[in-house]
Each structure stands twice: as C-alpha cells, then as structure tokens.
C-alpha cells in the first residue's frame, strides 16, 4: 500500500476538521515557519523551522524553489496568504473538497430565499 502524499493530506484534514479547522491549521503552520520578528516566512526562517512541519528532508534548492513559487509579489518573503495559496496549489484535490464545503451553505441560502 502506498504512503500518503502531501497532496492527500489537506483533503484528509478538510474532511476531519471542516473548512474553518483547515484554515486554522494552515495559519498555525504559517506561524511555525514564519520569522517571529518580521511576521512573514523568509528563506532563513523556512530553513530554520522546516523540520517542525516534516520538511527537514528538503534540500536547499527545493526550499529556494518553494519560496520563489509561493512569493506572489516577489518581495522575497511569504505572507500568510502566499503560504495558504501555496498549500492549496500543492493539493489540487482540495479544490474538490472546498466545493463540497460550499455546497451546503449555498443550498441553505437558496432554501432561505425560496421560503
């Protein structure tokens, strides 16, 4: 049986925690990796804190590429939004789960409007 890959982890977390719980966990992950003084993830803080999230096996060039890919505004640091966008991009199946979590509130809204 194959192991669970990262791309499978977020959908599993979403199933277990729900949408709000997943966002809370992503925010917690961001806080673990961020530079506490600057309030953003820098390459140095990623390098230093990556073992906390099981990223200790990543090589330097992989950390650099992760930063470049996620740095939406090109300032060399990741905001909380940059980090969350990266996590969602690394887990494409999560989009399907997000649609599932949106379906019920949308259906509730429609029912409220009809009645």
């Amino acid at each position: 049986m194959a192991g669970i890959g990262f791309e499978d982890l977020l959908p599993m977390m979403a199933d277990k925690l729900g949408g709000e719980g997943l966002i809370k966990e992503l925010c917690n992950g961001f806080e673990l990796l961020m530079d506490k003084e600057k309030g953003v993830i820098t390459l140095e803080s990623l390098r230093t804190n990556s073992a906390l999230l099981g990223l200790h096996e990543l090589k330097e060039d992989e950390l650099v590429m992760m930063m470049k890919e996620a740095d939406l505004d090109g300032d060399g640091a990741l905001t909380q939004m940059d980090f969350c966008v990266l996590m969602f991009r690394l887990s494409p199946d999560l989009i399907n789960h997000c649609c599932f979590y949106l379906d019920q509130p949308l259906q509730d809204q429609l029912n409220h409007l009809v009645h």
Side-chain angles (χ1 to χ4, degrees):
M1 183 171 162
I4 295 174
F6 176 81
E7 64 278 358
D8 303 318
L9 183 60
L10 287 182
M12 287 174 51
M13 288 175 64
D15 284 342
K16 183 176 180 181
L17 303 173
E20 284 186 41
L22 176 62
I23 296 300
K24 183 178 178 183
E25 287 304 311
L26 287 175
C27 291
N28 289 341
F30 172 80
E31 289 180 17
L32 287 173
L33 292 172
M34 77 176 187
D35 179 307
K36 305 303 184 234
E37 292 177 15
K38 297 179 182 176
V40 294
I41 296 173
T42 63
L43 181 57
E44 184 60 35
S45 71
L46 181 61
R47 194 181 292 127
T48 303
N49 300 323
S50 61
L52 295 173
L53 292 180
L55 302 173
H56 55 275
E57 294 178 6
L58 290 175
K59 297 178 179 125
E60 179 71 13
D61 60 333
E62 293 171 314
L63 294 174
V64 169
M65 288 303 296
M66 183 184 297
M67 287 292 296
K68 284 182 181 180
E69 183 176 336
D71 185 8
L72 298 177
D73 62 7
D75 67 354
L78 303 183
T79 64
Q80 190 172 40
M81 181 62 72
D82 291 338
F83 178 76
C84 289
V85 168
L86 175 65
M87 295 298 103
F88 276 79
R89 286 176 58 205
L90 292 174
S91 184
D93 285 343
L94 189 58
I95 298 302
N96 295 332
H97 282 72
C98 289
C99 291
F100 171 77
Y101 290 114
L102 289 174
D103 281 346
Q104 188 59 51
L106 289 173
Q107 188 62 47
D108 291 346
Q109 263 316 81
L110 287 172
N111 290 338
H112 178 72
L113 291 172
V114 172
H115 297 273

